[in-house]
Amino acid sequence: MMDQSLITKSVEYEKCLEEMREQLQIYQVQMSEMRQKFEQVTTENRRLHAELKEALEMQLDALPFMPLGTAIPADEEIVRNLQEQLQLTNQEKEQAIELWQTVSQELDQLQQQHQEHMTQTQIHMAERLKQQDQLANFHQLTSHLHAASEKTELEEDVVSAQQREAASDKLLQQLQSSIKQDYMLVSKMLNK
C-alpha cells in the first residue's frame, strides 16, 4: 500500500515537473519575444529621432537669417510646425519609455515566476529524494522482517521437534518400564 502511494506521488511529481518545464519554456519564449519587441521599439525610436532631427536641422538651415525683432508671418508658421513636431517627438519618447517600463516590469515578473518555479522544483526534488530514502528504508525493514519471520519459524520448528523428541523419549521410557515390570511379574510367576 505504501509502495503504491509513493509510486502515485512520484508520478504526480513527474507530471508537475513536466508542467513546470513547459511553463518555463513558454516564459522563456515570451521573454525572448518581449526583448525582440523592445529592441524593435528602441531601434524604431532611434530611427525616428534621427529622421526628425535631420528634418528639423534641414528646416532650420533653410530659414533665412533674420535679425532679432523682425517677424514674418511665414516664420510663425514654421515655428508652430517645429513646436508640433517637437511635441510629437516628446510624445513618442514618452510612449517608448512607458513601453520600456512595461516590458521591464513584465520581464521582472517572469524572472520572479521562474525563480519561484525553480524553488518549487528544488522543494519537489528534495521531497522526492526523501520519499525514495523512505522507500529504500521500508524495503530494507521489510527484508529484515521477512528474515526475522523465517528465523522465528525455524526456531519454532526446532522447539517443536525437540518437544516431540522429549515426548517420544518419555513414552519410550514408560514402555520400557512397563515391559520390565511385566517381565519381572512373569518371571516371578514362572519361578513359583
Side-chain angles (χ1 to χ4, degrees):
M1 183 174 167
M2 189 167 182
D3 285 347
Q4 184 64 32
S5 174
L6 288 174
I7 290 170
T8 303
K9 286 183 181 180
S10 179
V11 168
E12 288 174 2
Y13 170 75
E14 289 295 331
K15 185 178 178 183
C16 181
L17 190 61
E18 186 60 32
E19 288 175 1
M20 285 195 290
R21 284 187 189 127
E22 289 172 4
Q23 283 184 336
L24 178 61
Q25 288 175 349
I26 290 170
Y27 291 145
Q28 288 173 338
V29 168
Q30 288 175 346
M31 285 173 59
S32 176
E33 289 173 354
M34 292 175 108
R35 281 191 184 119
Q36 288 175 351
K37 287 178 184 176
F38 179 70
E39 289 171 5
Q40 289 172 353
V41 168
T42 304
T43 304
E44 183 66 15
N45 192 30
R46 286 182 185 150
R47 184 186 65 77
L48 290 172
H49 183 268
E51 287 178 4
L52 185 57
K53 182 179 177 185
E54 185 180 336
L56 289 173
E57 287 174 353
M58 287 173 58
Q59 287 180 5
L60 286 174
D61 288 343
L63 289 175
F65 176 74
M66 302 289 288
L68 290 174
T70 58
I72 301 174
D75 289 344
E76 291 175 6
E77 185 67 27
I78 291 171
V79 169
R80 199 176 311 114
N81 285 339
L82 290 175
Q83 286 175 340
E84 287 175 5
Q85 289 178 5
L86 183 60
Q87 188 178 3
L88 289 172
T89 302
N90 285 336
Q91 287 175 354
E92 288 177 359
K93 179 183 173 186
E94 291 298 321
Q95 289 173 351
I97 289 171
E98 287 177 11
L99 181 61
W100 176 79
Q101 288 173 342
T102 302
V103 169
S104 178
Q105 289 172 355
E106 289 181 6
L107 182 61
D108 289 344
Q109 288 174 350
L110 287 173
Q111 287 175 338
Q112 184 179 356
Q113 289 174 352
H114 171 68
Q115 186 62 39
E116 288 171 1
H117 284 300
M118 291 304 292
T119 302
Q120 287 295 325
T121 301
Q122 290 171 350
I123 290 170
H124 285 304
M125 289 297 286
E127 287 176 355
R128 183 177 183 198
L129 288 174
K130 184 178 176 183
Q131 289 174 350
Q132 287 176 342
D133 288 344
Q134 289 175 341
L135 182 61
N137 288 339
F138 177 73
H139 285 305
Q140 189 175 9
L141 286 173
T142 303
S143 297
H144 287 315
L145 284 174
H146 283 304
S149 175
E150 289 175 3
K151 185 176 179 182
T152 302
E153 287 176 8
L154 183 61
E155 288 175 358
E156 287 174 356
D157 289 346
V158 168
V159 168
S160 176
Q162 288 173 344
Q163 288 174 347
R164 285 194 302 269
E165 185 178 351
S168 295
D169 286 346
K170 188 174 179 184
L171 184 60
L172 180 62
Q173 287 174 0
Q174 288 174 350
L175 285 173
Q176 286 176 346
S177 175
S178 176
I179 290 172
K180 279 184 183 177
Q181 287 176 357
D182 289 345
Y183 177 74
M184 291 175 77
L185 188 59
V186 169
S187 271
K188 278 185 183 179
M189 289 172 78
L190 288 176
N191 286 337
K192 283 188 184 179

